[in-house]
Amino acid sequence: MDFSSKLLENAVYEISQLPGIGKRTALRLALHLLKQPKDQTSALSNSLLKLREEIKFCSNCHNISDVVLCEICANPKRDESIVCVVEDIRDVMAIENTGQYRGLYHVLGGRISPMEGVGPQNLTIDSLVNKSKEGIIKELIFALSSTMEGDTTNFYIYKQIEGMGLKTSTIARGIAVGDELEYADEVTLGRSILNRVPFENSLKLG
Amino acid sequence: MDFSSKLLENAVYEISQLPGIGKRTALRLALHLLKQPKDQTSALSNSLLKLREEIKFCSNCHNISDVVLCEICANPKRDESIVCVVEDIRDVMAIENTGQYRGLYHVLGGRISPMEGVGPQNLTIDSLVNKSKEGIIKELIFALSSTMEGDTTNFYIYKQIEGMGLKTSTIARGIAVGDELEYADEVTLGRSILNRVPFENSLKLG
């Protein structure tokens, strides 16, 4: 693309560095900002700068937080003996939205993926293993995505904490509520039959 | 969405103000920036701020430019008697890419659209009419999109410059090069028959 303005070219280049945004979309976004009041652009820029400069991570669960100990870890009503291991803050938000979980979290910051150059040392696994040694945690719930990388990460952590006497579990895989059986994939359907639950349980959940 | 951090919430809100970007995508972009070096975020923020603060519009054609008179208008080799009327800088870039046009441009900044609250006074139509009065321009090429708004804008300008003795034309509508006839819409195909060109012309263009 040939730009008539260096300023525009720079802005388009920087926007197009974001994932999933190409040069054309970047140009459309830049032109949109030019049509809006200057306040909008400065608010956007400042919020990004502030986010990147001032963000903190909870010292206990490594979740994004504005303070040293996040709201969830600081809440005395939460059960600190159960820890749900997740990839990132989006998973915490998703589980919190269900309102069904009263334990704490541990945010890994990704999953082991040699293809993308992410090894165990890039994640917060050491911190999880150290926490587990303290004896407060009784159960770890693995809630990583069920991909090869997710399974590898689960297994790596499982090996690290083996022999500490912790209960480990993974979230149930099965047919989504409201889904039709005929469209489910075989692996999911197979697991949902093997891991069937007493009918009375589903009555209780409504 | 419940955020564990006000900083993150603000950034997601500001990003989601951009067109075509929802809250989920905004969160994904914000988390991406957090994983990248701080330089990337500051480069992005600064380029946006600089763009919005320092951008200029060419005093002649209203195209985006870093200087008072844009490169195209300042080029003595361009034919200033022909002016191509377009909606925005993307159209200028598209036509410049063809390498077929040696005249100047006039960037309207949009098209007349009462539905979106855009009237003739919001565009650079007055400036175009004033330029036309000076007698240097011999031909106006309307290259707006062929929608109701585009046609309305063409017609409005046409009425304003009526009687000034200017030649007016619109870019040819027809079947795109490489397209199959059977998939073309009726209006386009109809126009391409009515506005057929001598076969020798297509031989010259190769």
Side-chain angles (χ1 to χ4, degrees), chain A residues 83-151:
Chain A
V83 169
C84 182
V85 181
V86 294
E87 280 171 40
D88 71 15
I89 183 176
R90 280 176 290 185
D91 305 320
V92 175
M93 288 165 68
I95 296 175
E96 281 299 287
N97 272 340
T98 68
Q100 299 287 342
Y101 182 63
R102 301 306 300 162
L104 301 185
Y105 295 92
H106 186 89
V107 179
L108 291 176
R111 49 197 176 191
I112 297 171
S113 169
M115 293 282 283
E116 292 162 31
V118 180
Q121 72 285 356
N122 301 117
L123 307 176
T124 61
I125 294 178
D126 282 349
S127 148
L128 177 63
V129 173
N130 289 336
K131 266 199 300 194
S132 304
K133 283 180 189 155
E134 290 168 13
I136 298 167
I137 304 174
K138 302 294 176 212
E139 178 175 357
L140 284 189
I141 305 173
F142 294 121
L144 278 71
S145 44
S146 83
T147 57
M148 203 177 67
E149 287 88 0
D151 290 344

Side-chain angles (χ1 to χ4, degrees), chain A residues 6-27:
Chain A
K6 213 62 198 151
L7 291 169
L8 184 63
E9 189 172 352
N10 281 345
V12 168
Y13 171 79
E14 292 296 343
I15 299 173
S16 68
Q17 296 302 299
L18 294 170
I21 296 188
K23 285 238 166 180
R24 268 169 196 272
T25 308
L27 178 59

Side-chain angles (χ1 to χ4, degrees), chain B residues 110 136 155 181:
Chain B
I136 299 167
F155 191 69
L181 282 206

